[in-house]
Amino acid sequence: MKKIKETYFPLLNRKEVVFEIEHAGKPTPKKDDIKKKIADDLKADVETVSLQKVINHFGSTKTKIIAEVYDTKEDLQKLIKKTKKQKQQKEKKEEK
């Protein structure tokens, strides 16, 4: 795993990082595995890592990953949009 670029955004309390993973002879890595590798490399918590894009071209042995690593879990929850499914689950919990 090779880090290509790292940018810190102080107003958003996050780093945007671009990595490149070589996986010759293997399938594209799972998103959970990628998150763990990024968290280990940047010495961050896995819960503060948000994958934005995993780009892999057909027949290529390299995958480009764009991820955001937040300072705290609360910063991540403030800025990441919730999916429709997550909103519905939250509403069901509040009804009970």
Side-chain angles (χ1 to χ4, degrees), residues 23-94:
H23 51 87
K26 298 178 186 174
T28 304
K30 305 275 185 222
K31 288 185 178 183
D32 291 337
D33 296 337
I34 294 171
K35 275 185 169 185
K36 288 176 188 175
K37 286 181 181 181
I38 290 173
D40 289 342
D41 191 50
L42 298 175
K43 297 177 181 73
D45 188 16
V46 175
E47 294 178 354
T48 61
V49 177
S50 171
L51 293 179
Q52 296 303 309
K53 290 185 180 182
V54 178
I55 305 163
N56 188 13
H57 299 288
F58 181 77
S60 176
T61 61
K62 292 182 182 180
T63 300
K64 184 177 179 182
I65 296 140
I66 301 172
E68 295 172 345
V69 181
Y70 290 85
D71 291 344
T72 63
K73 188 176 177 184
E74 290 78 27
D75 293 330
L76 175 107
Q77 291 173 345
K78 282 186 216 172
L79 295 171
I80 297 295
K81 288 184 180 181
K82 292 187 172 129
T83 63
K84 187 175 182 180
K85 187 176 180 181
Q86 289 173 334
K87 288 178 186 178
Q88 289 173 347
Q89 288 175 349
K90 185 177 180 183
E91 289 173 3
K92 286 181 183 178
K93 286 181 183 179
E94 290 175 359

